[in-house]
Amino acid sequence: MNAQELIDTAKKLVAGDKGLLAMDESNPTCNKRFAKVGIPQTEEARRTYRELIITTPGLNESISGAILSDETIRQHNKDGVPFVKVIADTGIIPGIKVDAGAKDLAGHPGEKITEGLDGLRERLAEYGQMGARFAKWRAVMVIGDGIPSRGCIEANAQALARYAALCQEAGLVPVVEPEVLMDGDHTLERCFEVTEEVLRTVFHRLYRQRVMLEGMLLKPNMVLPGLACIKQETVDEVADATVICLLRAVPAAVPGITFLSGGQSAELASARLNAMNNGSLKSRLPWALAFSFARAIQQPALEIWQGQESHVLAAQQVLYHRAQCNRAARRGEYSAAMEKA
Ligand code: 13P
């Protein structure tokens, strides 16, 4: 492991006002999103879509790194150039999702454990050779009656820590993603409590596995009320709760926090990130607060594309716009007026 290289890459990923673009949906997830808008669920359709994304003019103005899936990192553009090269040539750092998905956790009805540690050392070496410089692993925690359990939180935190240590050994920056889901009717206060407990447990396990905090990024959920909760807090209230929770649980040595969007609307995700990077909260942040959105950057473009060649330019314009909105949110300069422009 070259510690300085890890630190430099982690810093570069959250430098200035840029953020990450997650485009690492597994094939089943990507197919589900395609099916909803009537796009054929084929390998070629997925390849064409990913080519649309990475060839969006000006994407590198707002995107520092792109997270690919195992299928995508092996694909080429229509001229036969590997996607990793196409991405790196625009100055965007290629990354890779390395978990094998969330499976049912034995003995814990309704809870998940993320798998993928077996053979991970070898896979990381291969991805590194292919040009990946960082890697992502997502753990999922559901809020419900009596859950998440300690057993679920600890098992996922341990897996995240083992993955992160292997990444650093291989020279890849781990993007550690413990996601507390928005599904349910729980309150913002409950999400706060669960998110704080999850993050404290994750950082304890990262410490035990000797993960260098300066050479990693955290990809958490924002602190939000459940989608079905009657009380939906304002943008500023969500920003306050999220920053207070993170200040309590995330060591200042971590260079950056790159939020997932988790099913928030694209506009709300931008507005909430903006509120955290704006006004009085900003001066309290020891880390960069950035984004690593999938749906909140891609979804509007996907709906316009619909698999049609003639819609590619319009879809790229919308993708560019969403990325720019989040870039503005990093500076605390996003406003609803940007959506009308
Ligand atoms: P969303 O922004 O759509 O939640 O996706 C982020 C991600 O990478 C999930 O693992």
Side-chain angles (χ1 to χ4, degrees), residues 26 29 97 99-105 111-116 137-142 152 156 179 181:
S26 65
T29 300
K97 184 250 300 292
D99 66 69
K103 310 285 159 63
D104 290 341
L105 178 61
E111 298 196 276
K112 301 276 181 196
I113 177 71
T114 300
E115 295 188 347
W137 177 293
R138 172 175 176 256
V140 193
M141 256 74 55
V142 181
C152 173
N156 275 293
E179 174 173 11
L181 293 181

Side-chain angles (χ1 to χ4, degrees), residues 24 89 106 177 183 191 199 209 266 307 330:
D24 60 326
D89 283 352
E177 181 178 8
D183 302 327
C191 178
L199 292 176
Q209 292 306 316
R330 276 216 58 187

Side-chain angles (χ1 to χ4, degrees), residues 147-158:
I147 61 172
S149 63
R150 266 317 286 173
C152 173
I153 295 172
E154 284 176 16
N156 275 293
Q158 179 69 10

Side-chain angles (χ1 to χ4, degrees), residues 67-289:
I67 313 173
L68 312 178
S69 68
D70 181 74
E71 177 179 272
T72 310
I73 201 170
R74 299 175 194 282
Q75 288 176 326
H76 300 74
N77 73 6
K78 58 182 181 327
D79 302 320
V81 183
F83 277 169
V84 185
K85 178 165 164 46
V86 176
I87 292 169
D89 283 352
T90 65
I92 294 176
I93 303 175
I96 177 77
K97 184 250 300 292
V98 298
D99 66 69
K103 310 285 159 63
D104 290 341
L105 178 61
H108 294 73
E111 298 196 276
K112 301 276 181 196
I113 177 71
T114 300
E115 295 188 347
L117 288 172
D118 288 351
L120 183 56
R121 175 176 276 133
E122 292 73 25
R123 289 195 289 126
L124 288 169
E126 186 192 6
Y127 291 137
Q129 273 161 14
M130 291 169 105
R133 291 291 165 263
F134 69 103
K136 179 197 109 170
W137 177 293
R138 172 175 176 256
V140 193
M141 256 74 55
V142 181
I143 297 182
D145 217 5
I147 61 172
S149 63
R150 266 317 286 173
C152 173
I153 295 172
E154 284 176 16
N156 275 293
Q158 179 69 10
L160 279 166
R162 291 266 292 110
Y163 132 84
L166 282 162
C167 283
Q168 291 192 334
E169 178 190 84
L172 273 72
V173 171
V175 176
V176 173
E177 181 178 8
E179 174 173 11
V180 178
L181 293 181
M182 288 172 74
D183 302 327
D185 60 2
H186 55 269
T187 60
L188 172 136
E189 288 77 13
R190 177 93 177 105
C191 178
F192 187 116
E193 189 181 280
V194 171
T195 303
E196 182 177 354
E197 181 178 358
V198 167
L199 292 176
R200 285 181 182 275
T201 309
V202 166
F203 278 99
H204 180 254
R205 295 300 170 106
L206 289 168
Y207 171 64
R208 282 276 172 255
Q209 292 306 316
R210 304 181 176 168
V211 172
M212 182 187 44
L213 299 184
E214 291 82 354
M216 64 160 277
L217 297 174
L218 177 72
K219 174 164 173 168
N221 51 284
M222 296 184 191
V223 174
L224 303 169
L227 280 171
C229 181
I230 301 164
K231 184 172 180 215
Q232 292 289 319
E233 276 75 5
T234 64
V235 165
D236 286 331
E237 286 167 341
V238 165
D240 276 349
T242 303
V243 168
I244 292 169
C245 183
L246 294 170
L247 283 171
R248 288 187 188 170
V250 183
V254 173
I257 294 177
T258 60
F259 291 104
L260 58 92
S261 58
Q264 306 175 62
S265 73
E267 292 81 2
L268 265 182
S270 299
R272 288 164 170 165
L273 178 64
N274 184 72
M276 294 180 224
N277 278 313
N278 176 337
S280 60
L281 287 178
K282 178 82 188 162
S283 60
R284 300 179 58 192
L285 307 178
W287 357 254
L289 279 191

Side-chain angles (χ1 to χ4, degrees), residues 27-41 183 227 263 295 299 302-307:
N27 293 346
T29 300
C30 187
N31 287 346
K32 236 186 278 164
R33 292 188 187 154
F34 277 15
K36 264 197 197 145
V37 287
I39 300 168
Q41 293 105 64
D183 302 327
L227 280 171
R295 283 164 288 180
Q299 194 57 32
L302 180 65
E303 284 164 16
I304 289 177
W305 177 51
Q306 290 178 335

